[in-house]
């Protein structure tokens, strides 16, 4: 008595088609959920639903967003394959450029954590997912991994390799609420884990105040 079971309750809007019509059997505009999962994967469908879910508004469902989610899952899986294909030299030292790259990705990830924390507080789940999508696709995959990857028949320093694994681990954690299946698979693919050491049970990372001058 005198306590509240929840401090915040999130009500979703109505799911509508691209023409803003209510989903119904009579209109024949309701997608087959099982077929969507077969076509785009469970996480692809989750991505599609969440990406079109603005806070306080109806969901304008578009199958193309599920396709985008499937492509995103493939991008993440290919990033894992790229990293695990690197050869590591434990005696090799990081160059000044690689140390700068490490500082940059840590700084960018911290900025993303700060931004998504604010979006979560405002219940802007769709915006948080889009922020993470942009960071993973553009900052991590398109820039960081392209700069970090060694040339053909060249080994990568252990420090840079371990940092890359660490960054990808943290990415899996923050993406897990949105895309639990692919992130759990990648989490266990990055390195050997103990029994019960799952992405789902990991502590969510916290952002730190930084000097933005």
């Amino acid at each position: 008595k005198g306590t509240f079971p929840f401090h915040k309750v999130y009500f979703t809007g109505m799911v509508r088609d691209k023409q803003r019509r209510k989903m119904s059997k009579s209109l024949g505009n309701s997608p087959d959920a099982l077929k969507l999962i077969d076509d785009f994967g469970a996480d692809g469908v989750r991505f599609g639903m969440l990406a079109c879910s603005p806070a306080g508004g109806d969901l304008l469902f578009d199958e193309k967003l599920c396709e985008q989610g499937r492509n995103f899952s493939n991008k993440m899986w290919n990033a894992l394959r790229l990293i695990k294909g690197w050869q590591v030299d434990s005696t090799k030292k990081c160059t000044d450029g690689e140390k700068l790259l490490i500082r940059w990705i840590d700084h960018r990830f911290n900025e993303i954590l700060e931004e998504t924390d604010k979006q979560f507080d405002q219940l802007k789940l769709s915006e948080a997912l889009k922020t993470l999508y942009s960071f993973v696709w553009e900052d991590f995959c398109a820039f960081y991994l392209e700069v970090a990857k060694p040339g053909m028949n060249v080994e990568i320093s252990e420090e840079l390799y371990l940092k890359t694994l660490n960054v990808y681990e943290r990415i899996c954690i923050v993406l897990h609420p949105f895309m639990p299946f692919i992130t759990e698979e990648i989490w266990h693919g990055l390195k050997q884990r103990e029994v019960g050491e799952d992405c789902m049970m990991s502590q969510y990372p916290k952002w730190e105040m930084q000097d933005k001058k």
Side-chain angles (χ1 to χ4, degrees):
K1 188 176 181 180
T3 61
F4 300 93
F6 306 103
H7 292 283
K8 292 182 180 180
V9 179
Y10 186 88
F11 291 93
T12 63
M14 182 178 293
V15 181
R16 299 179 180 274
D17 64 16
K18 291 183 291 184
Q19 301 177 43
R20 295 186 175 274
R21 300 177 302 176
K22 179 181 177 181
M23 297 284 189
S24 69
K25 290 183 179 180
S26 60
L27 289 175
N29 61 348
S30 297
D32 184 331
L34 294 179
K35 187 177 185 306
L36 285 176
I37 293 174
D38 285 340
D39 291 343
F40 306 109
D43 279 341
V45 176
R46 287 173 65 94
F47 180 98
M49 292 296 295
L50 288 164
C52 65
S53 306
D58 288 345
L59 287 69
L60 302 181
F61 180 73
D62 188 343
E63 197 170 292
K64 289 183 178 179
L65 290 172
C66 295
E67 182 179 356
Q68 184 180 2
R70 181 189 62 191
N71 294 341
F72 186 39
S73 296
N74 290 338
K75 186 75 170 180
M76 293 177 63
W77 189 255
N78 288 336
L80 173 65
R81 293 176 60 191
L82 173 67
I83 295 168
K84 297 303 289 184
W86 292 346
Q87 298 298 315
V88 181
D89 183 351
S90 60
T91 65
K92 191 174 183 179
K93 303 296 184 182
C94 263
T95 65
D96 290 340
E98 289 171 342
K99 291 178 180 179
L100 180 61
L101 180 65
I102 289 172
R103 290 197 298 270
W104 175 81
I105 194 64
D106 281 339
H107 179 79
R108 279 294 296 135
F109 190 78
N110 191 72
E111 288 181 329
I112 293 301
L113 287 176
E114 180 181 5
E115 185 176 351
T116 53
D117 273 4
K118 292 177 181 178
Q119 290 165 335
F120 279 131
D121 287 341
Q122 298 168 359
L123 302 180
K124 295 180 178 180
L125 306 184
S126 175
E127 286 81 353
L129 176 57
K130 293 175 182 177
T131 297
L132 291 171
Y133 170 87
S134 178
F135 169 73
V136 174
W137 194 290
E138 297 173 9
D139 294 326
F140 182 66
C141 292
F143 183 76
Y144 175 85
L145 291 183
E146 287 300 313
V147 175
K149 72 179 183 183
M152 186 173 294
N153 299 321
V154 177
E155 296 177 329
I156 190 173
S157 69
E158 187 174 43
E159 181 181 354
L160 183 56
Y161 179 71
L162 293 177
K163 166 54 65 174
T164 303
L165 294 183
N166 175 260
V167 173
Y168 210 176
E169 283 180 336
R170 289 184 289 158
I171 286 173
C172 288
I173 295 172
V174 297
L175 265 177
H176 190 77
F178 299 104
M179 305 175 73
F181 301 105
I182 185 70
T183 52
E184 193 69 65
E185 285 291 325
I186 291 173
W187 168 269
H188 285 280
L190 286 169
K191 65 181 182 181
Q192 189 69 33
R193 306 284 181 181
E194 299 292 336
V195 175
E197 188 185 356
D198 300 320
C199 182
M200 180 177 63
M201 303 303 294
S202 301
Q203 185 174 2
Y204 197 89
K206 296 180 180 180
W207 65 275
E208 299 177 355
M209 188 69 71
Q210 298 182 123
D211 185 358
K212 298 185 178 180
K213 292 184 180 180

